[in-house]
Amino acid sequence: MIKLKKMFTAVMLAAVVLVVGCDNNDAPAPTTPTITAQSPSSNATNVALNKVISFTFSEPMNPSTINTTTFMVKQGTTTVLGTVAYAGTTATFTPSVALTAGTIYTATITTGVKSAAGVSLAANTTWNFTTGINAQGLAAVDLGAAGNYVILAKTAINNNPTSAITGDLGLSPAATSYITGLSLTNATGYATSAQVTGKIYAADMVSPTSTNLTTAVNNMITAYNDAAGRPSPDFSELGTGNIGGKTLTEGLYKWTNTVTAPTNLIISGSATDVWIFQIAGDLTVSSGVKITLSGGAQAKNIFWQVAGTVSIGTTAQFKGVILSKTGVTLASKATLSGRALAQTAVILDANIVTKP
């Protein structure tokens, strides 16, 4: 009996040691945060005088550690006055007055910045950029006559009722028969639908509809090429294509592959700021994902140039002008505040689409 008691005690002690050991091993050590993107880029030139300077971190940070003592912008030894903010994983510095033209500035973020887990950056990060002469910032993409339509496509517009669309629809060079699911009522040079607050046009309708649509489609292609050809991106391969959870400040973004948004994101900037997203692959927004605009940002100034397909998931809330070379699909009950301009087809399924 004594031997059994000793054996039982030894087993229990071993179990306690094992459990304690597992607890220690299972607790991962906090990671050291890093800076994954900065705007403007290091040694950038011709930077806009109203540029918002930003850092994007590898993980969520402690907002209380991000302030004007840990995130500074200087011209020489003179500190630039401004406002520091933090959202998502992005810190921004907005100058109180316009920057001086043709001037070198230095931005610094210090080790006083800490992650949500309390870990500091490994070292201060400092870089320079130079403002332009009369630099006005990123110019919006000129849509031309394509901007007259909330949906414009070349091969088809297919709808699974019932959608609610505000704005005009255009299809060219395909004919009216390639517009399905909208129960059209024909008129002279256009059609109407109970699902559309606006008019519907197709290439086989009487003049001047066909001519107007040809111009609009040509302008759509020109706008796509303009957006795709903008040089010197402020952000390259941000998040390796995963933009979920991020706060996207104004500027030019470039990815050489597919972009996904598996979780909510924020587009933050003023009413005059412009965003251009150059995407060489597909754009996929997961079901239920919400894009929120903050600071006065406007959907009409957000341009998604996508070489591949655009897929907006069920009940997702999307913002901006889509310039797609391949096609746009909105899943059931997704909403779009913007425009769907596609060089092939636009597919709808009980969606709400509103012109910006």
Side-chain angles (χ1 to χ4, degrees):
M1 177 65 84
I2 294 173
K3 288 184 177 180
L4 288 175
K5 287 183 178 180
K6 288 182 177 180
M7 290 176 62
F8 177 77
T9 301
V11 169
M12 292 300 294
L13 287 172
V16 170
V17 170
L18 180 61
V19 170
V20 171
C22 288
D23 287 345
N24 290 337
N25 291 335
D26 288 347
T31 57
T32 300
T34 60
I35 293 170
T36 59
Q38 55 201 43
S39 178
S41 57
S42 181
N43 298 319
T45 58
N46 201 39
V47 173
L49 306 184
N50 61 349
K51 180 68 176 177
V52 175
I53 296 92
S54 68
F55 284 96
T56 300
F57 299 95
S58 59
E59 58 188 275
M61 305 298 286
N62 180 347
S64 68
T65 67
I66 301 175
N67 49 56
T68 54
T69 62
T70 58
F71 186 0
M72 299 167 288
V73 178
K74 292 186 176 183
Q75 190 271 303
T77 59
T78 303
T79 299
V80 176
L81 299 180
T83 302
V84 172
Y86 174 78
T89 56
T90 300
T92 58
F93 180 96
T94 303
S96 298
V97 297
L99 301 177
T100 303
T103 302
I104 298 175
Y105 287 87
T106 301
T108 301
I109 195 153
T110 74
T111 55
V113 170
K114 296 182 179 181
S115 69
V119 181
S120 299
L121 291 174
N124 291 354
T125 295
T126 299
W127 90 109
N128 299 325
F129 61 89
T130 304
T131 53
I133 305 299
N134 299 320
Q136 298 300 313
L138 191 63
V141 177
D142 184 0
L143 300 178
N148 296 331
Y149 303 88
V150 67
I151 296 175
L152 180 62
K154 292 179 68 175
T155 62
I157 299 174
N158 298 329
N159 174 58
N160 183 32
T162 301
S163 292
I165 304 168
T166 302
D168 291 345
L169 281 65
L171 180 66
S172 178
T176 308
S177 59
Y178 289 90
I179 302 175
T180 62
L182 288 173
S183 301
L184 302 184
T185 299
N186 291 324
T188 303
Y190 65 94
T192 60
S193 168
Q195 299 176 66
V196 179
T197 303
K199 296 179 179 179
I200 303 161
Y201 301 91
D204 59 338
M205 294 177 178
V206 298
S207 183
T209 295
S210 58
T211 301
N212 291 342
L213 285 172
T214 297
T215 300
V217 168
N218 287 337
N219 290 169
M220 173 177 68
I221 295 171
T222 298
Y224 175 92
N225 292 334
D226 172 25
R230 296 291 181 95
S232 305
D234 298 297
F235 302 91
S236 294
E237 314 299 345
L238 179 66
T240 62
N242 183 341
I243 59 175
K246 297 192 180 303
T247 297
L248 306 177
T249 56
E250 54 86 26
L252 179 63
Y253 294 69
K254 182 179 181 67
W255 292 273
T256 56
N257 212 317
T258 291
V259 171
T260 61
T263 56
N264 295 345
L265 62 130
I266 299 169
I267 297 178
S268 177
S270 73
T272 57
D273 285 338
V274 173
W275 294 256
I276 299 177
F277 303 108
Q278 299 172 330
I279 303 171
D282 299 332
L283 171 61
T284 302
V285 179
S286 297
S287 296
V289 165
K290 181 179 179 181
I291 296 179
T292 300
L293 305 185
S294 70
Q298 298 192 60
K300 69 177 183 178
N301 293 330
I302 302 167
F303 301 91
W304 302 86
Q305 174 265 313
V306 185
T309 59
V310 178
S311 301
I312 311 300
T314 302
T315 70
Q317 300 177 32
F318 193 82
K319 308 290 196 307
V321 177
I322 301 171
L323 292 162
S324 170
K325 192 172 185 178
T326 306
V328 178
T329 299
L330 276 68
S332 177
K333 298 182 180 178
T335 65
L336 167 63
S337 175
R339 303 182 192 276
L341 309 178
Q343 295 182 40
T344 57
V346 175
I347 311 300
L348 307 171
D349 186 358
N351 305 121
I352 297 175
V353 181
T354 308
K355 63 183 179 181

